[in-house]
Amino acid sequence: MKVFPCSVIRRAEQACFEAGITTSAALMQYVIDEIWHALHNEPEFCCRRFARVVVYAGKGNNAGDAIGLAAHFDCPVQLRAVCAPEEFSAETQLQYAALMQRQQHVGEGEPHGCTLIIDGLLGSGVSGKLRPEYEQLVQEMNALRAATPHSLLLAIDIPTGLQADTGELLGSVVQADVTAVIGCVKPGMLVAENFVGRLLCIPLPQVQLPQEPTAEVADAQLLRYLPRRSYGCYKNLAGRVNIIAGSLGYVGAAQMCAEAAVAAGAGLVALYCYRDVYPILAARVAPEVMVYPVDSYREVPTEGMSALVMGPGLGRPPAKEIAVLRHLPHRVSVPVVMDADALNLAAATAWNIAPHCILTPHPGEMRRLYPQASQLTRAETVQRYVSENPCTLLLKGARSIISDGTRTVYNSTGGPYMANGGQGDVLAGVIGALAAQGVPALEAAALGAYVCGLAAAYAQAGAGYPPAIHATQVIAHIQKAMRD
């Protein structure tokens, strides 16, 4: 989904109404239905059974979206509004009337059950400090979320209290778990991920937006980059990924990287490691992975591979081996995914990054690689680094940022349940497999982040929504994420 300021989407919607393409009421109903359908495919929602829905409604059309969505749920609905129903906008009054026809479902509900909280107080066009009546309901909403641990807070278009274009806090701000963003993503949402949560993109095909966005947010459209295989495809045509990874104490990183590459569809996956860890890895990894012992990384073949991944669990090799690794990306023309210890070695010994490299640092690795990052925002860090070091960079985080200097993509999947070791190793393997199958570098990195985040969400839903899921659980759901 494209990223544009609020003024752009407002002008586009107005032009749509003036041209008679649709009406405000019809567009509202479309949005409600699309959010409802999207929620059915969302791991955060699909396995939950809500005991009640609590809607927080303002006067405008965001309230209509929230109230109309609540009417779809077969459970009691409680309405908390800043005004009397007759003060709602005309379109919102229509949705309120439809909700009231389901009178038997309107009430308090079970206070201690799984609660869906819907924020429909204010839309993305709001600026200025919140008025007291809104401030009070925002605080109440956050308190309800905190008091019901199994609840989920869904914001319509943007969490109330957040300035959409800048990310400025306008007072108390709704702490959303998921934000159903409508039409386009607003720039402020990309700098306030702790309030916005997971982005659920609801496109408006009726509304024509400019072709050149300031940035993009990853959504299911990325799946179109997955190559469609011919009927006669065989393993050598599906890409070979060579992986340099693993050391004593860090064999798990190599294993997860290789098995993720297999799950992501690479035709062949070859793992190269020193002889001291070879017996361990050869006995542990999936049988689909070819494991080769080497005395030096000079022995890693550069012919016949489609992508190279280096770094997971690599440790600190001898100086002469670091020199081999330093020059290896320049000896090949295929995509080279650099992760973990490859990035640390690059930072410590001032590697010259090749343009066909895909770097996947977490914030700490990024600061080691580019010390200026400590003085910059995440977005500024990415843009400056790729301008000075042409490559594809994926800066991991709550909203991973991917850029090659020409295009910038923000990931929309995943969540805090991924805050544990091994997730980056899985991501590196997936990106390597996608690049080996012919997906361009930027799209391979963006699609890899999207797929891993979605796979993690499926894993969490399947496990009953624990606070954390293991990286190996993500691998088990990669194929489902790539299918959906």
Side-chain angles (χ1 to χ4, degrees), residues 226-301:
L226 287 173
R228 183 164 183 172
R229 298 184 176 185
S230 67
Y231 184 75
C233 183
Y234 55 94
K235 61 186 178 183
N236 291 322
L237 295 181
R240 176 185 173 119
V241 180
N242 284 359
I243 301 173
I244 300 175
S247 61
L248 287 176
Y250 300 100
V251 293
Q255 178 180 356
M256 288 184 287
C257 180
E259 293 181 358
V262 172
L268 293 166
V269 177
L271 174 59
Y272 295 87
C273 61
Y274 286 144
R275 292 188 182 277
D276 58 350
V277 296
Y278 169 76
I280 305 171
L281 277 170
R284 284 180 52 140
V285 300
E288 295 87 354
V289 179
M290 300 175 289
V291 187
Y292 296 98
V294 296
D295 294 310
S296 168
Y297 294 131
R298 293 183 186 277
E299 301 171 29
V300 177

Side-chain angles (χ1 to χ4, degrees), residues 65-90:
D65 295 336
I67 292 170
L69 178 64
H72 279 286
F73 287 87
D74 188 22
C75 62
V77 176
Q78 180 182 357
L79 182 62
R80 297 284 292 137
V82 297
C83 63
E86 54 268 24
E87 296 181 59
F88 289 152
S89 69

Side-chain angles (χ1 to χ4, degrees), residues 458-473:
Y458 280 128
Q460 193 208 24
Y465 301 101
I469 50 94
H470 302 157
T472 50
Q473 293 174 282

Side-chain angles (χ1 to χ4, degrees), residues 1-3 181-185 201-204 215-219:
M1 176 174 272
K2 298 175 181 178
V3 179
V181 57
I182 300 166
C184 69
V185 177
C201 297
I202 308 298
L204 298 178
E216 305 166 58
V217 169
D219 57 24

Side-chain angles (χ1 to χ4, degrees), residues 23-95:
T23 65
S24 181
L27 191 63
M28 176 181 288
Q29 190 58 56
Y30 173 85
V31 167
I32 291 168
D33 293 341
E34 286 300 300
I35 295 176
W36 173 248
H37 293 313
L39 292 180
H40 275 37
N41 296 320
E42 281 299 301
E44 288 90 345
F45 288 84
C46 63
C47 297
R48 296 180 192 262
R49 182 165 181 81
F50 295 106
R52 63 169 175 165
V53 176
V54 182
V55 178
Y56 286 80
K59 297 181 180 180
N61 285 358
N62 260 48
D65 295 336
I67 292 170
L69 178 64
H72 279 286
F73 287 87
D74 188 22
C75 62
V77 176
Q78 180 182 357
L79 182 62
R80 297 284 292 137
V82 297
C83 63
E86 54 268 24
E87 296 181 59
F88 289 152
S89 69
E91 295 85 354
T92 298
Q93 287 190 38
L94 292 174
Q95 297 298 331

